[in-house]
Amino acid sequence: MTRDQIDIGFKAWRSFLEAHAVVIPRIERLLDSATGLPFTWYDVLFQLSCAPGQRLLMHELADAVLLSRSGLTRSVDRIEAAGLVAREAIPGNRRSTHVVLTGAGKERLAQAVPIVTRGVREYFTQHLSEEEAAAVVRILGGVRDHARAGSGAEAPD
Amino acid sequence: MTRDQIDIGFKAWRSFLEAHAVVIPRIERLLDSATGLPFTWYDVLFQLSCAPGQRLLMHELADAVLLSRSGLTRSVDRIEAAGLVAREAIPGNRRSTHVVLTGAGKERLAQAVPIVTRGVREYFTQHLSEEEAAAVVRILGGVRDHARAGSGAEAPD
DNA sequence: AAAGATTGAGAGATCAATCTTG
DNA sequence: CAAGATTGATCTCTCAATCTTT
């Protein structure tokens, strides 16, 4: 790796960190002021809505929403207390639990989706041409996949 | 914006979120196990080391490290208690404070830099060609700059 | 013993309110 | 009053340890 590559690589890294640090709070703020929903709650509801039967096992949901197992337990506690999801026992499997989207959860998500969609477009996709979006998918998708697979000994949880 | 653009834009957004969610904990883990330093501490020390006189005002530092004002106050409290930075009064300006890197802070940073450099390379820049890194700088840098500038009414702090 | 999920303890972050200085 | 920084209250996350089921 040449000197220039090191420099441009470092700049890419900082752009990545800074874009995240700027965009995420903007979208959280937008979502909260419009719906009172934290972004992490939104992600839980959204991932459940994408799943068949609108339900997932706790550990499947943890993987989907990019949270640790214990972090998800706390989060689901709160979202369940708010009535937007429910834990359901699974017949014939007493060590796993399903998390299901409730009717109230669906309604709340339906309010939130257009807000988030607007925020993501305004703060992120608006600046990307189709080619650039494809480049981001390829580049950052590759980063994600390699980091997940690589050096398995360092996997969390 | 066409239908395909919406889809690819959404995929780009998810890749961005997921890459961050996977890579950051990996690097935090690496840094912590090698030096005992949290990544946020590292960033504070690093930003100070880049500044002339190795010192910055609190609000300058807050901008540099991508943390809220109050978040930085707490963080500097802890780092100062550990002896790695010091607050210094500014002659002729009694409402601002300088944060300065101490000798111990420099040593600690010197240990940490190669670790972080290695982690960033392993989990991030390794997968980027020079062209791709330049694309990331251009694209995500643009996202960052527009989000910072745009819709000023929503700026935090 | 391993998988799935939860809990206790502790650290860190944010918002809104406050204090001080200019 | 505005700028700079801090504090109080609250929320959420993570790690390590634990409990239950297979």
Side-chain angles (χ1 to χ4, degrees):
Chain A
M1 190 181 263
T2 71
R3 183 69 209 299
D4 278 353
Q5 260 183 314
I6 292 173
D7 287 347
I8 194 72
F10 178 75
K11 282 183 194 164
W13 169 247
R14 286 303 300 186
S15 300
F16 175 65
L17 287 186
E18 291 172 8
H20 190 273
V22 171
V23 168
I24 297 295
R26 290 288 198 289
I27 292 182
E28 285 176 339
R29 184 170 293 255
L30 179 66
L31 180 62
D32 181 58
S33 68
T35 70
L37 229 43
F39 187 67
T40 51
W41 291 33
Y42 169 82
D43 204 19
V44 165
L45 301 180
F46 178 75
Q47 297 296 341
L48 287 176
S49 79
C50 295
Q54 311 203 309
R55 71 190 58 218
L56 286 171
L57 301 178
M58 283 295 282
H59 74 270
E60 293 172 335
L61 185 54
D63 288 345
V65 302
L66 315 167
L67 215 52
S68 71
R69 300 288 201 280
S70 59
L72 180 68
T73 293
R74 314 299 172 118
S75 199
V76 168
D77 285 348
R78 293 184 287 263
I79 304 174
E80 186 175 28
L84 307 185
V85 302
R87 284 178 168 91
E88 269 187 18
I90 304 173
N93 179 354
R94 289 195 300 178
R95 68 176 170 180
S96 256
T97 313
H98 267 143
V99 185
V100 197
L101 201 56
T102 65
K106 284 175 206 169
E107 283 180 30
R108 208 63 185 287
L109 178 63
Q111 295 167 6
V113 164
I115 306 292
V116 172
T117 300
R118 175 159 66 82
V120 171
R121 188 175 302 145
E122 176 172 350
Y123 292 120
F124 191 79
T125 54
Q126 184 187 1
H127 314 295
L128 277 58
S129 68
E130 197 162 346
E131 291 75 20
E132 289 173 331
V136 168
V137 171
R138 182 169 43 79
I139 296 170
L140 295 187
V143 166
R144 173 199 61 203
D145 293 340
H146 180 277
R148 268 188 187 148
S151 319
E154 300 157 29
D157 278 357
Chain B
M1 187 180 268
T2 72
R3 183 70 208 298
D4 278 354
Q5 260 183 314
I6 292 174
D7 287 345
I8 194 72
F10 178 75
K11 282 183 193 165
W13 169 247
R14 286 303 299 185
S15 300
F16 174 66
L17 287 186
E18 290 172 7
H20 191 273
V22 171
V23 168
I24 298 295
R26 290 287 197 291
I27 292 182
E28 284 175 339
R29 185 169 292 253
L30 179 66
L31 180 62
D32 181 59
S33 67
T35 70
L37 230 43
F39 187 67
T40 51
W41 290 33
Y42 169 81
D43 204 20
V44 165
L45 300 181
F46 179 74
Q47 297 295 341
L48 288 177
S49 79
C50 295
Q54 311 203 310
R55 72 191 57 219
L56 287 170
L57 301 178
M58 284 293 284
H59 74 271
E60 293 172 335
L61 185 54
D63 288 345
V65 301
L66 315 168
L67 215 53
S68 71
R69 298 291 200 278
S70 59
L72 181 68
T73 293
R74 314 300 171 117
S75 201
V76 167
D77 285 348
R78 292 184 287 262
I79 304 174
E80 186 175 29
L84 306 184
V85 302
R87 285 177 168 91
E88 268 187 18
I90 303 173
N93 178 356
R94 288 196 300 178
R95 69 176 170 181
S96 254
T97 314
H98 266 142
V99 185
V100 197
L101 201 55
T102 65
K106 286 176 205 169
E107 282 181 33
R108 208 63 185 288
L109 178 63
Q111 294 166 7
V113 164
I115 306 292
V116 173
T117 301
R118 175 159 66 82
V120 171
R121 189 175 302 145
E122 175 173 350
Y123 293 120
F124 191 79
T125 53
Q126 184 187 1
H127 313 295
L128 277 58
S129 68
E130 197 161 346
E131 292 74 20
E132 288 173 333
V136 168
V137 171
R138 182 170 42 79
I139 296 170
L140 295 186
V143 166
R144 173 200 60 204
D145 293 341
H146 180 277
R148 269 190 186 147
S151 316
E154 300 157 29
D157 279 357

